[in-house]
Each structure stands twice: as C-alpha cells, then as structure tokens.
Amino acid sequence: MQTIEFELEGDYVELNMLLKLVGLCDSGGAGKAIVATGAVKVDGVTELRKTCKIHAGQVASIDDVAIHVLPDSR
C-alpha cells in the first residue's frame, strides 16, 4: 500500500479537496464524484459525505493509497 503524508494548513481539509491536493484527482468536483461512489474510507469506515472535515491524525484511503493527515506545523 502506498502512503502519502499530507500536512494540514489550518484545522481541517474537506475530503474532496484532500483527494485533489494529494493528486488523486484533478479537481474538487472529481473528488466529490469519487467519494460519492463509496470508494473512500476514513479511519477504516466508508465515507459518503463529500465535504466532511478531515482533521490531523485521521487516515483517508482509496484503493491501495493511504493518506495520513498531519497537523499544521506552523
């Protein structure tokens, strides 16, 4: 499984934008479409809320990619 570490800029990032920012899709709209299919899990649970807030410490996964969300270092 591929692991991507994503550092937050602020308190949270919306799930669809997280997928865009790590390069798994081209736009926030494409991210929403991916989430709507049920392909994304957050902390091991299928997530269907396209703009749910992802906070530091959470792990989003799709296929064989795990995105570890790290706290803002500023």
Side-chain angles (χ1 to χ4, degrees):
M1 177 173 269
Q2 178 187 358
T3 300
I4 299 171
E5 291 188 344
F6 177 81
E7 186 177 310
L8 282 176
E9 291 181 8
D11 294 331
Y12 68 89
V13 63
E14 293 179 349
L15 182 56
N16 65 311
M17 293 307 294
L18 177 63
L19 298 177
K20 175 188 173 199
L21 292 170
V22 298
L24 295 178
C25 62
D26 294 331
S27 68
K32 285 181 179 182
I34 292 170
V35 174
T37 67
V40 181
K41 292 186 177 188
V42 176
D43 296 333
V45 178
T46 300
E47 182 58 72
L48 297 174
R49 296 174 297 159
K50 302 167 188 88
T51 59
C52 79
K53 295 176 181 177
I54 305 299
H55 298 275
Q58 290 189 290
V59 177
S61 59
I62 179 171
D63 297 328
D64 64 340
V65 178
I67 307 162
H68 293 263
V69 181
L70 306 175
D72 189 340
S73 64
R74 290 183 277 147

